[in-house]
Amino acid sequence: MESCHLLLAVSPSTTPPSQTFHSYRLKSFYSRHKSRTNRITSASFFASSALEDLNNIRGRINLSLFKRSKKWYDGCKVRAAAVPDSNAGESAKSNEFVKTLQLAAMFPVWYSLNIYFNIFNKQVLKVFPYPATVSTFQFGCGTVLVLLMWALNLHQKPKLNRSQFEAILLLALGHTVGNLLTNISLGKVAVSFTHTIKAMEPFFTVLLSVLFLGERPSLWVVSSLVPIVGGVALASFTEASFNWIGFGSAMASNLTNQSRNVYSKKVMVKEEDNLDNINLFSVMTIVSFILLVPITILIDGIKLSPSYLQYAASQGLNVRDFFVRSLLAGFCFHSYQQVSYMILQMVSPVTHSVGNCVKRVVVIVSSVIFFQTPVSTINALGTGIALAGVFLYSRAKKIKPAPKVA
């Protein structure tokens, strides 16, 4: 019995074989699963690390490509700025060509309208010797044309402030009196003689600029005035239609018109709120019409009545023809001055002055031919000398004095 207990005490506790086998398989499975889990975790970590590295590499590649693309784009911009755009150059040439064509068309229109105005105006003044009424009618026609232009949005209507209106009022006063005096002269003497006298405008421009602006003319400008004054004097002494009222009115219109021009330099109207040359002339036309209506009533009274129209008919121009020529004269009067201001807006004042000189030659020659005005050789010579002086004056104004050396 003791030996049996001793045997039990000494011998270790034994496990059944089946349980031992299952425990061994469980441990083996756990070991394999743990190893597999470790491999998966390692692979996942490696994949995550590789993906992160790949993203970093891709980011560096994209940054490098972006920098290279930006550098290439900036280089293209620099080269584009350095090399002129052929399309832009062609567009500029096309615009310059269109502008040249416009000027080439506007100068003949300017001259033609002026020629027809002088012809129709002289025909009206011959049978209706009331220049104030004729001038008012012409300014009235111009006012209607201006209002139609603004109403149809052919040109934007200006917005005037008080200072601009005050400046325009004085300019319009000179414009009104100047045109009235010109019509008085045209009613008394030949058209060619009136325009010969008006060739002395540069003389009054220089004189008034010295007196009121303190400008000192150059030697070339003063020299060009000599043939102007001499030519007008020679033409006046030999003019068959010479009349002191006509001569004095033309001279006074020169003084008035050039006073207006000198004043416009001293009190320059700013080109703001669409007050360009076209609108400036348009506003002047309306103001001149308003100013001239009471003056005409004081000077002439009401002359557009049946009795005076019958008098015009007795002089060789029936009522219908009288009104047609008056309307045409009024239309041409406003239109040629409007075109003149449009040209002045596109070219320099010197170019415009040269064009005006050529226009005066064309008007004188055309009026002599149309009205068959008798012109002597000396008279023609004096007119030619005066007009040549005007051309020289236009060129002399372009010559800039040499800067003084200290």
Side-chain angles (χ1 to χ4, degrees):
M1 189 72 176
E2 290 179 358
S3 61
C4 185
H5 284 291
L6 180 63
L7 181 63
L8 291 172
V10 172
S11 62
S13 62
T14 60
T15 309
S18 61
Q19 185 176 358
T20 302
F21 177 75
H22 285 296
S23 175
Y24 173 78
R25 290 185 64 183
L26 182 62
K27 288 180 180 179
S28 177
F29 174 78
Y30 174 76
S31 176
R32 289 195 307 271
H33 179 71
K34 183 177 181 182
S35 176
R36 188 181 301 169
T37 302
N38 289 337
R39 287 198 302 271
I40 293 173
T41 304
S42 298
S44 176
F45 175 77
F46 176 77
S48 176
S49 177
L51 183 61
E52 184 179 355
D53 292 340
L54 183 61
N55 287 333
N56 291 335
I57 292 171
R58 186 169 61 182
R60 288 194 294 271
I61 292 173
N62 289 338
L63 181 62
S64 176
L65 289 175
F66 173 75
K67 289 182 178 180
R68 290 181 182 179
S69 300
K70 187 175 184 301
K71 184 177 180 180
W72 175 82
Y73 177 71
D74 292 340
C76 289
K77 284 175 64 179
V78 172
R79 287 192 295 272
V83 179
D85 188 1
S86 59
N87 292 332
E90 292 178 359
S91 178
K93 290 181 180 179
S94 177
N95 292 336
E96 190 68 25
F97 179 71
V98 171
K99 181 181 177 181
T100 303
L101 285 180
Q102 287 178 344
L103 284 174
M106 289 172 71
F107 271 92
V109 171
W110 182 24
Y111 293 173
S112 299
L113 289 171
N114 204 310
I115 291 170
Y116 281 112
F117 162 69
N118 282 279
I119 291 174
F120 293 138
N121 196 34
K122 182 64 177 179
Q123 289 176 336
V124 171
L125 288 170
K126 272 185 175 180
V127 300
F128 191 79
Y130 302 102
T133 303
V134 171
S135 300
T136 304
F137 186 83
Q138 291 168 359
F139 278 116
C141 292
T143 299
V144 172
L145 292 175
V146 169
L147 295 178
L148 285 175
M149 177 184 72
W150 288 340
L152 298 175
N153 290 324
L154 300 178
H155 199 80
Q156 192 171 1
K157 185 169 62 173
K159 298 178 182 179
L160 301 177
N161 54 41
R162 183 174 179 179
S163 61
Q164 288 176 328
F165 182 77
E166 290 175 353
I168 293 176
L169 181 61
L170 292 175
L171 291 174
L173 181 61
H175 183 64
T176 303
V177 177
N179 282 281
L180 175 59
L181 291 171
T182 300
N183 274 340
I184 293 174
S185 178
L186 287 172
K188 295 295 183 180
V189 297
V191 174
S192 58
F193 184 53
T194 297
H195 282 277
T196 300
I197 299 171
K198 288 181 71 64
M200 282 194 66
E201 286 180 348
F203 172 81
F204 289 97
T205 300
V206 173
L207 179 63
L208 294 172
S209 297
V210 171
L211 293 177
F212 295 102
L213 300 181
E215 296 180 358
R216 297 185 63 182
S218 64
L219 179 62
W220 292 106
V221 171
V222 175
S223 300
S224 67
L225 297 179
V226 176
I228 294 176
V229 177
V232 171
L234 186 61
S236 300
F237 290 149
T238 57
E239 174 60 36
S241 64
F242 182 85
N243 180 282
W244 279 109
I245 296 178
F247 177 82
S249 299
M251 280 292 187
S253 71
N254 285 337
L255 180 61
T256 305
N257 289 332
Q258 297 317 303
S259 298
R260 176 199 62 194
N261 294 341
V262 170
Y263 176 76
S264 66
K265 292 180 182 179
K266 189 173 183 179
V267 186
M268 186 60 66
V269 178
K270 296 181 180 179
E271 290 189 5
E272 55 188 23
D273 296 329
N274 301 317
L275 189 61
D276 53 8
N277 283 342
I278 296 175
N279 276 331
L280 176 61
F281 173 70
S282 299
V283 175
M284 285 171 55
T285 298
I286 296 174
V287 175
S288 295
F289 173 69
I290 296 172
L291 291 174
L292 200 53
V293 168
I295 296 175
T296 300
I297 294 175
L298 290 175
I299 295 176
D300 290 344
I302 306 298
K303 290 296 187 288
L304 290 177
S305 60
S307 59
Y308 287 98
L309 294 178
Q310 288 298 326
Y311 173 78
S314 66
Q315 299 297 314
L317 200 63
N318 59 49
V319 176
R320 179 180 175 277
D321 290 340
F322 172 79
F323 274 113
V324 169
R325 281 168 172 74
S326 296
L327 287 171
L328 289 174
F331 171 78
C332 293
F333 171 74
H334 178 79
S335 298
Y336 93 78
Q337 295 191 73
Q338 187 79 81
V339 173
S340 175
Y341 274 82
M342 292 170 63
I343 293 175
L344 181 59
Q345 192 164 312
M346 299 174 66
V347 301
S348 66
V350 175
T351 302
H352 188 270
S353 180
V354 173
N356 195 47
C357 174
V358 176
K359 180 208 71 177
R360 201 174 297 282
V361 175
V362 173
V363 170
I364 289 174
V365 173
S366 61
S367 64
V368 168
I369 295 173
F370 183 84
F371 293 109
Q372 298 181 353
T373 306
V375 179
S376 65
T377 304
I378 298 178
N379 183 275
L381 179 62
T383 302
I385 292 174
L387 295 175
V390 174
F391 178 77
L392 292 176
Y393 171 80
S394 302
R395 304 302 299 173
K397 290 289 290 183
K398 195 174 182 179
I399 300 175
K400 297 181 179 180
K404 296 181 180 179
V405 180

